Amino acid sequence: DTAVSQTPKYLVTQMGNDKSIKCEQNLGHDTMYWYKQDSKKFLKIMFSYNNKELIINETVPNRFSPKSPDKAHLNLHINSLELGDSAVYFCASSLRPDMNTEAFFGQGTRLTVV
Amino acid sequence: AQSVTQLGSHVSVSEGALVLLRCNYSSSVPPYLFWYVQYPNQGLQLLLKYTSAATLVKGINGFEAEFKKSETSFHLTKPSAHMSDAAEYFCAVSDRGGGFKTIFGAGTRLFVKA
């Protein structure tokens, strides 16, 4: 059983389209995250939810909208995709949002906008 | 605000040689520090973490790191490199000043030569 699973693994789409990436964790964790990893491997947090409530909302374009229907799921919807959105998006979860809690990562979704 | 600097985007060692990956942090309060490893096409997984207990922290796969407050460093070492250690390594820091955020360094790619 995969602890943090995200789908799809690869996503190729045209500029201007709207797409969603889904994430599910079966670890019973309270906190989930979305990270963006660019082509230079730099990893930056985008959003974090704790018990379905948004607790971190970094400065990202409002074309990106997270949705957490329940504690085990955190989906990422992206409107009007742009070339610069091409990256690997990682979902992660942790037991709680404490600073000393490790995060468990999914395998990533490689988004390519053409 | 906290930050992390990883010295050297690429490190190359021979199999059996010492591995040393450098990480310096900036934090206004005692930090929590992490090392994560990312294998190709995979998500990040935790190697080890420092949470203000022992300053020498042992992790998985024979890695360890030492927290040195005077040097604001948390370098990762392994006495003898194995081919399977070839991966991207990320140092990360979180503290109360950053809220619930964990900030990642830019990563160091480790190459292991036969």
Side-chain angles (χ1 to χ4, degrees), chain A residues 34-56:
Chain A
W34 277 110
Y35 284 87
K36 180 181 179 180
Q37 187 175 48
D38 64 23
S39 57
K40 295 185 178 173
K41 299 285 188 178
F42 184 65
L43 198 65
K44 189 173 190 308
I45 190 164
M46 300 172 69
F47 302 103
S48 176
Y49 273 72
N50 184 53
N51 275 323
K52 300 195 298 175
E53 281 194 36
L54 183 66
I55 59 171
I56 294 175

PDB file of all heavy atoms in Angstrom, chain A residues 34-56:
ATOM      1  N   TRP A  34       1.218  20.702  -0.514  1.00  0.00           N
ATOM      2  CA  TRP A  34       1.630  20.678  -1.906  1.00  0.00           C
ATOM      3  C   TRP A  34       2.931  21.460  -2.039  1.00  0.00           C
ATOM      4  O   TRP A  34       3.041  22.586  -1.538  1.00  0.00           O
ATOM      5  CB  TRP A  34       0.588  21.310  -2.839  1.00  0.00           C
ATOM      6  CG  TRP A  34      -0.498  20.358  -3.221  1.00  0.00           C
ATOM      7  CD1 TRP A  34      -1.801  20.386  -2.830  1.00  0.00           C
ATOM      8  CD2 TRP A  34      -0.371  19.212  -4.085  1.00  0.00           C
ATOM      9  NE1 TRP A  34      -2.495  19.332  -3.374  1.00  0.00           N
ATOM     10  CE2 TRP A  34      -1.638  18.598  -4.158  1.00  0.00           C
ATOM     11  CE3 TRP A  34       0.680  18.638  -4.807  1.00  0.00           C
ATOM     12  CZ2 TRP A  34      -1.891  17.461  -4.901  1.00  0.00           C
ATOM     13  CZ3 TRP A  34       0.440  17.506  -5.547  1.00  0.00           C
ATOM     14  CH2 TRP A  34      -0.835  16.924  -5.592  1.00  0.00           C
ATOM     15  N   TYR A  35       3.912  20.822  -2.697  1.00  0.00           N
ATOM     16  CA  TYR A  35       5.185  21.455  -2.994  1.00  0.00           C
ATOM     17  C   TYR A  35       5.372  21.492  -4.507  1.00  0.00           C
ATOM     18  O   TYR A  35       4.904  20.612  -5.227  1.00  0.00           O
ATOM     19  CB  TYR A  35       6.357  20.646  -2.402  1.00  0.00           C
ATOM     20  CG  TYR A  35       6.560  20.786  -0.920  1.00  0.00           C
ATOM     21  CD1 TYR A  35       5.879  19.957  -0.022  1.00  0.00           C
ATOM     22  CD2 TYR A  35       7.444  21.716  -0.403  1.00  0.00           C
ATOM     23  CE1 TYR A  35       6.079  20.070   1.346  1.00  0.00           C
ATOM     24  CE2 TYR A  35       7.655  21.835   0.964  1.00  0.00           C
ATOM     25  CZ  TYR A  35       6.959  21.009   1.827  1.00  0.00           C
ATOM     26  OH  TYR A  35       7.165  21.134   3.178  1.00  0.00           O
ATOM     27  N   LYS A  36       6.119  22.491  -4.962  1.00  0.00           N
ATOM     28  CA  LYS A  36       6.496  22.579  -6.367  1.00  0.00           C
ATOM     29  C   LYS A  36       8.011  22.455  -6.469  1.00  0.00           C
ATOM     30  O   LYS A  36       8.740  23.155  -5.753  1.00  0.00           O
ATOM     31  CB  LYS A  36       6.043  23.923  -6.960  1.00  0.00           C
ATOM     32  CG  LYS A  36       6.405  24.101  -8.426  1.00  0.00           C
ATOM     33  CD  LYS A  36       5.934  25.467  -8.930  1.00  0.00           C
ATOM     34  CE  LYS A  36       6.304  25.659 -10.388  1.00  0.00           C
ATOM     35  NZ  LYS A  36       5.870  26.982 -10.919  1.00  0.00           N
ATOM     36  N   GLN A  37       8.472  21.549  -7.329  1.00  0.00           N
ATOM     37  CA  GLN A  37       9.917  21.408  -7.557  1.00  0.00           C
ATOM     38  C   GLN A  37      10.225  21.828  -8.986  1.00  0.00           C
ATOM     39  O   GLN A  37       9.732  21.224  -9.941  1.00  0.00           O
ATOM     40  CB  GLN A  37      10.368  19.964  -7.309  1.00  0.00           C
ATOM     41  CG  GLN A  37      11.885  19.794  -7.376  1.00  0.00           C
ATOM     42  CD  GLN A  37      12.337  18.393  -7.013  1.00  0.00           C
ATOM     43  OE1 GLN A  37      11.800  17.409  -7.514  1.00  0.00           O
ATOM     44  NE2 GLN A  37      13.344  18.293  -6.153  1.00  0.00           N
ATOM     45  N   ASP A  38      11.055  22.846  -9.132  1.00  0.00           N
ATOM     46  CA  ASP A  38      11.338  23.361 -10.474  1.00  0.00           C
ATOM     47  C   ASP A  38      12.454  22.552 -11.146  1.00  0.00           C
ATOM     48  O   ASP A  38      12.951  21.576 -10.585  1.00  0.00           O
ATOM     49  CB  ASP A  38      11.661  24.855 -10.422  1.00  0.00           C
ATOM     50  CG  ASP A  38      12.927  25.157  -9.629  1.00  0.00           C
ATOM     51  OD1 ASP A  38      13.790  24.263  -9.490  1.00  0.00           O
ATOM     52  OD2 ASP A  38      13.052  26.286  -9.136  1.00  0.00           O
ATOM     53  N   SER A  39      12.839  23.007 -12.334  1.00  0.00           N
ATOM     54  CA  SER A  39      13.810  22.240 -13.126  1.00  0.00           C
ATOM     55  C   SER A  39      15.191  22.190 -12.472  1.00  0.00           C
ATOM     56  O   SER A  39      15.995  21.319 -12.773  1.00  0.00           O
ATOM     57  CB  SER A  39      13.929  22.831 -14.522  1.00  0.00           C
ATOM     58  OG  SER A  39      14.300  24.190 -14.427  1.00  0.00           O
ATOM     59  N   LYS A  40      15.451  23.107 -11.555  1.00  0.00           N
ATOM     60  CA  LYS A  40      16.738  23.095 -10.822  1.00  0.00           C
ATOM     61  C   LYS A  40      16.612  22.353  -9.504  1.00  0.00           C
ATOM     62  O   LYS A  40      17.496  22.448  -8.655  1.00  0.00           O
ATOM     63  CB  LYS A  40      17.210  24.527 -10.580  1.00  0.00           C
ATOM     64  CG  LYS A  40      17.535  25.257 -11.867  1.00  0.00           C
ATOM     65  CD  LYS A  40      18.112  26.626 -11.609  1.00  0.00           C
ATOM     66  CE  LYS A  40      18.453  27.290 -12.936  1.00  0.00           C
ATOM     67  NZ  LYS A  40      18.861  28.674 -12.795  1.00  0.00           N
ATOM     68  N   LYS A  41      15.536  21.632  -9.323  1.00  0.00           N
ATOM     69  CA  LYS A  41      15.303  20.793  -8.148  1.00  0.00           C
ATOM     70  C   LYS A  41      14.939  21.607  -6.902  1.00  0.00           C
ATOM     71  O   LYS A  41      14.856  21.041  -5.819  1.00  0.00           O
ATOM     72  CB  LYS A  41      16.506  19.896  -7.807  1.00  0.00           C
ATOM     73  CG  LYS A  41      16.860  18.945  -8.899  1.00  0.00           C
ATOM     74  CD  LYS A  41      15.879  17.801  -8.957  1.00  0.00           C
ATOM     75  CE  LYS A  41      16.320  16.730  -9.928  1.00  0.00           C
ATOM     76  NZ  LYS A  41      15.390  15.592  -9.956  1.00  0.00           N
ATOM     77  N   PHE A  42      14.735  22.911  -7.053  1.00  0.00           N
ATOM     78  CA  PHE A  42      14.383  23.723  -5.894  1.00  0.00           C
ATOM     79  C   PHE A  42      12.955  23.399  -5.473  1.00  0.00           C
ATOM     80  O   PHE A  42      12.038  23.413  -6.292  1.00  0.00           O
ATOM     81  CB  PHE A  42      14.528  25.201  -6.242  1.00  0.00           C
ATOM     82  CG  PHE A  42      14.271  26.113  -5.090  1.00  0.00           C
ATOM     83  CD1 PHE A  42      15.109  26.103  -3.986  1.00  0.00           C
ATOM     84  CD2 PHE A  42      13.188  26.965  -5.084  1.00  0.00           C
ATOM     85  CE1 PHE A  42      14.873  26.935  -2.905  1.00  0.00           C
ATOM     86  CE2 PHE A  42      12.946  27.793  -4.002  1.00  0.00           C
ATOM     87  CZ  PHE A  42      13.784  27.784  -2.921  1.00  0.00           C
ATOM     88  N   LEU A  43      12.796  23.120  -4.178  1.00  0.00           N
ATOM     89  CA  LEU A  43      11.507  22.665  -3.651  1.00  0.00           C
ATOM     90  C   LEU A  43      10.879  23.780  -2.833  1.00  0.00           C
ATOM     91  O   LEU A  43      11.461  24.255  -1.873  1.00  0.00           O
ATOM     92  CB  LEU A  43      11.754  21.444  -2.761  1.00  0.00           C
ATOM     93  CG  LEU A  43      10.594  20.534  -2.434  1.00  0.00           C
ATOM     94  CD1 LEU A  43      10.072  19.860  -3.680  1.00  0.00           C
ATOM     95  CD2 LEU A  43      11.039  19.478  -1.441  1.00  0.00           C
ATOM     96  N   LYS A  44       9.664  24.154  -3.210  1.00  0.00           N
ATOM     97  CA  LYS A  44       9.021  25.283  -2.528  1.00  0.00           C
ATOM     98  C   LYS A  44       7.599  24.892  -2.110  1.00  0.00           C
ATOM     99  O   LYS A  44       6.850  24.346  -2.909  1.00  0.00           O
ATOM    100  CB  LYS A  44       8.971  26.485  -3.459  1.00  0.00           C
ATOM    101  CG  LYS A  44       8.520  27.772  -2.786  1.00  0.00           C
ATOM    102  CD  LYS A  44       8.652  28.960  -3.723  1.00  0.00           C
ATOM    103  CE  LYS A  44       8.440  30.272  -3.012  1.00  0.00           C
ATOM    104  NZ  LYS A  44       7.218  30.376  -2.226  1.00  0.00           N
ATOM    105  N   ILE A  45       7.266  25.204  -0.873  1.00  0.00           N
ATOM    106  CA  ILE A  45       5.922  24.876  -0.411  1.00  0.00           C
ATOM    107  C   ILE A  45       4.912  25.823  -1.054  1.00  0.00           C
ATOM    108  O   ILE A  45       5.188  27.003  -1.263  1.00  0.00           O
ATOM    109  CB  ILE A  45       5.826  24.935   1.124  1.00  0.00           C
ATOM    110  CG1 ILE A  45       4.493  24.340   1.590  1.00  0.00           C
ATOM    111  CG2 ILE A  45       5.998  26.352   1.644  1.00  0.00           C
ATOM    112  CD1 ILE A  45       4.441  23.995   3.049  1.00  0.00           C
ATOM    113  N   MET A  46       3.750  25.265  -1.374  1.00  0.00           N
ATOM    114  CA  MET A  46       2.676  26.067  -1.954  1.00  0.00           C
ATOM    115  C   MET A  46       1.538  26.212  -0.941  1.00  0.00           C
ATOM    116  O   MET A  46       1.089  27.302  -0.633  1.00  0.00           O
ATOM    117  CB  MET A  46       2.149  25.406  -3.212  1.00  0.00           C
ATOM    118  CG  MET A  46       3.185  25.216  -4.301  1.00  0.00           C
ATOM    119  SD  MET A  46       2.559  24.223  -5.661  1.00  0.00           S
ATOM    120  CE  MET A  46       1.353  25.331  -6.373  1.00  0.00           C
ATOM    121  N   PHE A  47       1.052  25.087  -0.466  1.00  0.00           N
ATOM    122  CA  PHE A  47      -0.105  25.083   0.432  1.00  0.00           C
ATOM    123  C   PHE A  47       0.063  24.007   1.500  1.00  0.00           C
ATOM    124  O   PHE A  47       0.757  23.016   1.296  1.00  0.00           O
ATOM    125  CB  PHE A  47      -1.406  24.754  -0.322  1.00  0.00           C
ATOM    126  CG  PHE A  47      -1.730  25.675  -1.456  1.00  0.00           C
ATOM    127  CD1 PHE A  47      -1.509  25.288  -2.767  1.00  0.00           C
ATOM    128  CD2 PHE A  47      -2.281  26.915  -1.204  1.00  0.00           C
ATOM    129  CE1 PHE A  47      -1.812  26.132  -3.811  1.00  0.00           C
ATOM    130  CE2 PHE A  47      -2.597  27.770  -2.245  1.00  0.00           C
ATOM    131  CZ  PHE A  47      -2.363  27.372  -3.553  1.00  0.00           C
ATOM    132  N   SER A  48      -0.628  24.234   2.626  1.00  0.00           N
ATOM    133  CA  SER A  48      -0.719  23.191   3.629  1.00  0.00           C
ATOM    134  C   SER A  48      -2.095  23.235   4.268  1.00  0.00           C
ATOM    135  O   SER A  48      -2.639  24.320   4.514  1.00  0.00           O
ATOM    136  CB  SER A  48       0.355  23.362   4.695  1.00  0.00           C
ATOM    137  OG  SER A  48       0.184  22.379   5.708  1.00  0.00           O
ATOM    138  N   TYR A  49      -2.644  22.067   4.502  1.00  0.00           N
ATOM    139  CA  TYR A  49      -3.929  21.931   5.176  1.00  0.00           C
ATOM    140  C   TYR A  49      -3.739  21.091   6.432  1.00  0.00           C
ATOM    141  O   TYR A  49      -3.011  20.104   6.433  1.00  0.00           O
ATOM    142  CB  TYR A  49      -4.943  21.210   4.277  1.00  0.00           C
ATOM    143  CG  TYR A  49      -5.692  22.113   3.345  1.00  0.00           C
ATOM    144  CD1 TYR A  49      -5.067  22.682   2.251  1.00  0.00           C
ATOM    145  CD2 TYR A  49      -7.033  22.388   3.552  1.00  0.00           C
ATOM    146  CE1 TYR A  49      -5.755  23.513   1.392  1.00  0.00           C
ATOM    147  CE2 TYR A  49      -7.747  23.212   2.692  1.00  0.00           C
ATOM    148  CZ  TYR A  49      -7.092  23.776   1.611  1.00  0.00           C
ATOM    149  OH  TYR A  49      -7.780  24.600   0.766  1.00  0.00           O
ATOM    150  N   ASN A  50      -4.433  21.501   7.502  1.00  0.00           N
ATOM    151  CA  ASN A  50      -4.453  20.702   8.710  1.00  0.00           C
ATOM    152  C   ASN A  50      -5.912  20.421   9.056  1.00  0.00           C
ATOM    153  O   ASN A  50      -6.701  21.359   9.269  1.00  0.00           O
ATOM    154  CB  ASN A  50      -3.767  21.437   9.863  1.00  0.00           C
ATOM    155  CG  ASN A  50      -3.685  20.572  11.104  1.00  0.00           C
ATOM    156  OD1 ASN A  50      -3.189  19.448  11.054  1.00  0.00           O
ATOM    157  ND2 ASN A  50      -4.173  21.069  12.222  1.00  0.00           N
ATOM    158  N   ASN A  51      -6.276  19.170   9.085  1.00  0.00           N
ATOM    159  CA  ASN A  51      -7.676  18.804   9.341  1.00  0.00           C
ATOM    160  C   ASN A  51      -8.632  19.579   8.440  1.00  0.00           C
ATOM    161  O   ASN A  51      -9.617  20.152   8.910  1.00  0.00           O
ATOM    162  CB  ASN A  51      -8.046  19.059  10.801  1.00  0.00           C
ATOM    163  CG  ASN A  51      -7.661  17.895  11.682  1.00  0.00           C
ATOM    164  OD1 ASN A  51      -7.759  16.740  11.280  1.00  0.00           O
ATOM    165  ND2 ASN A  51      -7.207  18.202  12.872  1.00  0.00           N
ATOM    166  N   LYS A  52      -8.327  19.605   7.173  1.00  0.00           N
ATOM    167  CA  LYS A  52      -9.134  20.225   6.116  1.00  0.00           C
ATOM    168  C   LYS A  52      -9.118  21.751   6.151  1.00  0.00           C
ATOM    169  O   LYS A  52      -9.820  22.389   5.363  1.00  0.00           O
ATOM    170  CB  LYS A  52     -10.589  19.733   6.188  1.00  0.00           C
ATOM    171  CG  LYS A  52     -10.768  18.244   6.023  1.00  0.00           C
ATOM    172  CD  LYS A  52     -12.211  17.877   5.747  1.00  0.00           C
ATOM    173  CE  LYS A  52     -13.108  18.272   6.890  1.00  0.00           C
ATOM    174  NZ  LYS A  52     -14.550  18.023   6.575  1.00  0.00           N
ATOM    175  N   GLU A  53      -8.325  22.340   7.043  1.00  0.00           N
ATOM    176  CA  GLU A  53      -8.263  23.804   7.088  1.00  0.00           C
ATOM    177  C   GLU A  53      -6.952  24.302   6.515  1.00  0.00           C
ATOM    178  O   GLU A  53      -5.880  23.775   6.859  1.00  0.00           O
ATOM    179  CB  GLU A  53      -8.399  24.289   8.531  1.00  0.00           C
ATOM    180  CG  GLU A  53      -9.839  24.273   9.004  1.00  0.00           C
ATOM    181  CD  GLU A  53      -9.997  25.064  10.290  1.00  0.00           C
ATOM    182  OE1 GLU A  53      -9.326  26.096  10.460  1.00  0.00           O
ATOM    183  OE2 GLU A  53     -10.781  24.612  11.126  1.00  0.00           O
ATOM    184  N   LEU A  54      -7.005  25.325   5.709  1.00  0.00           N
ATOM    185  CA  LEU A  54      -5.808  25.888   5.096  1.00  0.00           C
ATOM    186  C   LEU A  54      -4.973  26.599   6.152  1.00  0.00           C
ATOM    187  O   LEU A  54      -5.456  27.498   6.840  1.00  0.00           O
ATOM    188  CB  LEU A  54      -6.224  26.873   4.005  1.00  0.00           C
ATOM    189  CG  LEU A  54      -5.114  27.516   3.183  1.00  0.00           C
ATOM    190  CD1 LEU A  54      -4.398  26.480   2.336  1.00  0.00           C
ATOM    191  CD2 LEU A  54      -5.688  28.620   2.305  1.00  0.00           C
ATOM    192  N   ILE A  55      -3.704  26.195   6.303  1.00  0.00           N
ATOM    193  CA  ILE A  55      -2.834  26.838   7.291  1.00  0.00           C
ATOM    194  C   ILE A  55      -1.625  27.502   6.659  1.00  0.00           C
ATOM    195  O   ILE A  55      -0.993  28.353   7.274  1.00  0.00           O
ATOM    196  CB  ILE A  55      -2.375  25.858   8.394  1.00  0.00           C
ATOM    197  CG1 ILE A  55      -1.616  24.652   7.801  1.00  0.00           C
ATOM    198  CG2 ILE A  55      -3.550  25.405   9.239  1.00  0.00           C
ATOM    199  CD1 ILE A  55      -0.959  23.780   8.855  1.00  0.00           C
ATOM    200  N   ILE A  56      -1.255  27.096   5.471  1.00  0.00           N
ATOM    201  CA  ILE A  56      -0.176  27.765   4.753  1.00  0.00           C
ATOM    202  C   ILE A  56      -0.666  28.049   3.342  1.00  0.00           C
ATOM    203  O   ILE A  56      -1.183  27.170   2.664  1.00  0.00           O
ATOM    204  CB  ILE A  56       1.104  26.906   4.684  1.00  0.00           C
ATOM    205  CG1 ILE A  56       1.710  26.714   6.070  1.00  0.00           C
ATOM    206  CG2 ILE A  56       2.139  27.565   3.760  1.00  0.00           C
ATOM    207  CD1 ILE A  56       2.905  25.770   6.078  1.00  0.00           C
TER     208      ILE A  56
END
